[in-house]
Amino acid sequence: MTAEAVTARAAAPRADWLTGAPCGLALRSEADDTAAALSHQRRGSTTAVTCRTGAADDGLLWSPGLVEAPAALLASTGTWCVPGLPATGEPQQALTVGVLVAALALAALGDSGRWEVTPGGAAAPVLPRGADEEKVLAAVLLAADETAHDVLGALTGCPAPVLRRAVRRAYVAALAHPQPARSRVALRQAGTVASSLWLLPDLSTAFRDTDRAEVRQVLGEAHHLVGKRALPAPDGRAVTRIRRSTHQGRLHRIDRLMAQWAARAAAGEPGEFAGVDTGLLGGALGPSRTLTVRDEAVSDGAATVDLWHALRRSGVRGDVVGGDRWSTMWLVELPDGTAGALDPEGRCIQVDGPTPDVLPSAHGSTGDEPVAARLAKAGGRRRVDWVTPQAGDCEGAGLRLRFRAHDVFEADRDRAHMIRVCGLLYRRQRPDVDAESYFSDEDIALALDRLGAGLVDGGVLIVGSVTDTDDGRRRHTDMDVFQRMRDGRLRHCHRWGLGVGPAAGPSGGATGSGARTDGGWV
């Protein structure tokens, strides 16, 4: 194009084609929704966009506030019905409308790029130019909605890794979609059909990038569901399947009790509170008056974040350390686009679908299938920890939060002032709950010994569970509390509900009476 032509175009009146197009209002609304979802912001918070006719040989162009499209593309788009998307089974039309809506959305977000257009005015099935390919493709898939399958069918020539990343990005954006139906459907799919562990870093990034509380809540829940349903929790000692059923707010009463113990100890208050000698605990703090609090078997750490907030509100300073044996994984991708995830020992636990689909799906793997063996041998692994993105908000006030891999049946040389294990050392004692005991009483007693050895003298161990009845009408909190004495004994000092059974004390453990050391009660 000559310099004169460029100057003439810049001086041309900026008539908005959308104003007079039969479905212009619908296209603009679709674009506004797409822009809001991609940016995880509210609808209408982006730049106003003008759409005008451009030269046929330039393709479909977008830049901040402006979209220019060939007349043939706009004419064909204008004949399509509300909401501006064609019926399924028409891949070329679905792609063309999706690309136009995506261009309008990206121009509203201040992006620039170009998509090639065929002589007949249809979007060519190729990657965009001069733009973030994955973001553009994600916008196209998001805009296509019910016709996304057709769009993917038209883009089969695009590299599989690029399409996979675009699909993940589109799914995360759908969780933030301003239309509640789109967001709710996406959340229902989390962990089931949208199950790839590759989603976790994308969900965490989106969580950090938005300040909308309602969007953060959905993203955080999806992050939990994907990890919960994909990551195994095997243990050779377990007598039944271990569930990952924790969620935000589930242990709030225990959080408050621990915060009270910690605050009284830090303040040097003597005497007992709920069976715990806070003077004895406070004597172990030293001049800094700071505590180390360990929360074990935490899954993604949502309940640990709650505990951190409870301690911070009580003015407690020190360190909160969340631990779980099965929350670390490695993401791997082969040159041909095959992707999956490995457990901490390098065994394949998940394989993504053989070809990109409209949802980032995957299936569990025992490591026996040929593709699993290839993934297990692959280099370039990317470590990802299944830690709730809410943990990134826990900073300041002299209270630090971190997470690590740890097994409660293994000794820990770093001693703590308080240790909590809720859910893992569960023993079924109520007839109206459906969860079975995870471990034998002997193994629970062994874990209590290991945990007690990880306490400073005066330290407190909290072991329990929160369960719901089969009909969902009631919730039970069962907990036992121990305190390590100066002679190394682990004294049982408080029981809430039914506790954790015989392992917590002689013949069920009368509150405040037993003390355990070296596997026996004294």
Side-chain angles (χ1 to χ4, degrees):
M1 184 180 294
T2 64
E4 291 78 7
V6 172
T7 302
R9 170 176 290 183
R14 301 171 69 87
D16 186 8
W17 173 83
L18 290 172
T19 302
C23 60
L25 181 61
L27 287 170
R28 192 185 294 279
S29 294
E30 292 282 343
D32 288 346
D33 284 350
T34 301
L38 284 172
S39 63
H40 313 123
Q41 300 303 321
R42 288 182 174 81
R43 198 174 188 273
S45 60
T46 52
T47 303
V49 177
T50 297
C51 179
R52 68 185 188 187
T53 304
D57 57 350
D58 286 347
L60 177 61
L61 301 172
W62 63 90
S63 57
L66 177 64
V67 170
E68 297 177 286
L73 185 149
L74 294 176
S76 60
T77 303
T79 64
W80 290 333
C81 64
V82 174
L85 296 178
T88 58
E90 301 173 336
Q92 192 59 62
Q93 289 186 346
L95 176 62
T96 301
V97 181
V99 169
L100 177 58
V101 173
L104 292 167
L106 294 166
L109 294 174
D111 293 357
S112 299
R114 176 180 182 272
W115 197 293
E116 290 187 20
V117 175
T118 68
V126 295
L127 290 176
R129 296 186 178 181
D132 181 340
E133 296 175 345
E134 297 162 20
K135 184 177 182 180
V136 175
L137 289 173
V140 172
L141 292 170
L142 191 65
D145 191 13
E146 296 174 11
T147 61
H149 282 282
D150 296 316
V151 168
L152 271 181
L155 294 172
T156 53
C158 296
V162 176
L163 289 178
R164 284 189 195 279
R165 291 191 287 270
V167 166
R168 292 197 299 267
R169 202 160 177 173
Y171 172 75
V172 173
L175 291 165
H177 203 283
Q179 297 298 331
R182 295 283 300 273
S183 178
R184 283 197 294 266
V185 168
L187 185 57
R188 284 202 302 267
Q189 294 165 334
T192 54
V193 287
S195 54
S196 173
L197 287 168
W198 279 82
L199 276 169
L200 296 182
D202 293 331
L203 290 165
S204 294
T205 298
F207 185 95
R208 291 193 299 268
D209 288 346
T210 183
D211 57 1
R212 294 177 59 194
E214 66 275 22
V215 173
R216 282 184 146 215
Q217 182 175 355
V218 173
L219 293 170
E221 189 170 351
H223 187 280
H224 175 76
L225 290 173
V226 170
K228 171 184 175 179
R229 297 183 182 179
L231 285 174
D235 193 301
R237 305 177 186 85
V239 295
T240 188
R241 181 178 65 87
I242 298 175
R243 303 183 180 185
R244 293 178 178 269
S245 57
T246 188
H247 55 76
Q248 190 174 11
R250 189 173 182 86
L251 307 178
H252 68 279
R253 291 188 178 87
I254 300 176
D255 295 337
R256 292 169 183 167
L257 184 58
M258 292 179 66
Q260 287 178 294
W261 283 327
R264 287 173 61 93
E269 295 185 23
E272 285 196 2
F273 179 74
V276 169
D277 185 341
T278 55
L280 180 62
L281 174 59
L285 301 189
S288 66
R289 313 309 294 169
T290 58
L291 290 88
T292 297
V293 180
R294 282 171 39 196
D295 199 16
E296 300 292 359
V298 300
S299 293
D300 70 342
T304 309
V305 170
D306 289 339
L307 176 59
W308 182 91
H309 282 291
L311 293 169
R312 182 186 60 82
R313 286 192 295 268
S314 297
V316 176
R317 296 179 298 113
D319 294 273
V320 178
V321 184
D324 195 274
R325 184 183 178 190
W326 295 102
S327 290
T328 297
M329 76 212 75
W330 299 93
L331 302 180
V332 291
E333 187 174 45
L334 302 177
D336 63 1
T338 303
L342 313 178
D343 69 11
E345 283 74 40
R347 294 182 294 266
C348 185
I349 56 174
Q350 190 184 74
V351 178
D352 283 29
T355 57
D357 197 0
V358 293
L359 288 168
S361 60
H363 66 270
S365 174
T366 59
D368 297 331
E369 53 191 321
V371 66
R374 292 173 56 211
L375 289 168
K377 295 177 182 178
R381 299 176 181 181
R382 176 183 180 183
R383 175 175 171 163
V384 175
D385 293 316
W386 184 45
V387 173
T388 175
Q390 297 164 343
D393 297 334
C394 299
E395 298 178 353
L399 187 63
R400 294 171 292 274
L401 173 65
R402 63 182 176 89
F403 290 87
R404 62 172 185 166
H406 182 65
D407 182 354
V408 299
F409 288 97
E410 299 294 332
D412 192 334
R413 291 179 297 179
D414 297 326
R415 293 194 173 188
H417 298 94
M418 302 179 78
I419 300 176
R420 180 175 74 175
V421 184
C422 279
L424 181 67
L425 302 179
Y426 163 75
R427 186 183 191 278
R428 182 177 182 180
Q429 302 187 89
R430 297 181 181 274
D432 55 351
V433 297
D434 63 353
E436 298 296 334
S437 301
Y438 296 154
F439 302 97
S440 67
D441 290 333
E442 292 75 17
D443 282 328
I444 294 176
L446 173 64
L448 294 179
D449 283 341
R450 295 284 190 273
L451 293 163
L455 289 170
V456 299
D457 290 346
V460 178
L461 170 63
I462 303 98
V463 182
S465 61
V466 177
T467 55
D468 297 310
T469 58
D470 293 340
D471 58 11
R473 293 177 179 272
R474 294 189 62 187
R475 173 166 292 177
H476 301 294
T477 297
D478 298 306
M479 180 179 72
D480 281 304
V481 181
F482 308 84
Q483 188 166 25
R484 182 184 173 98
M485 310 309 289
R486 289 192 177 94
D487 59 4
R489 296 182 304 159
L490 194 60
R491 181 177 70 92
H492 182 275
C493 53
H494 184 70
R495 168 157 287 178
W496 191 337
L498 300 182
V500 294
S507 302
T511 299
S513 61
R516 183 178 182 82
T517 179
D518 298 328
W521 288 89
V522 296

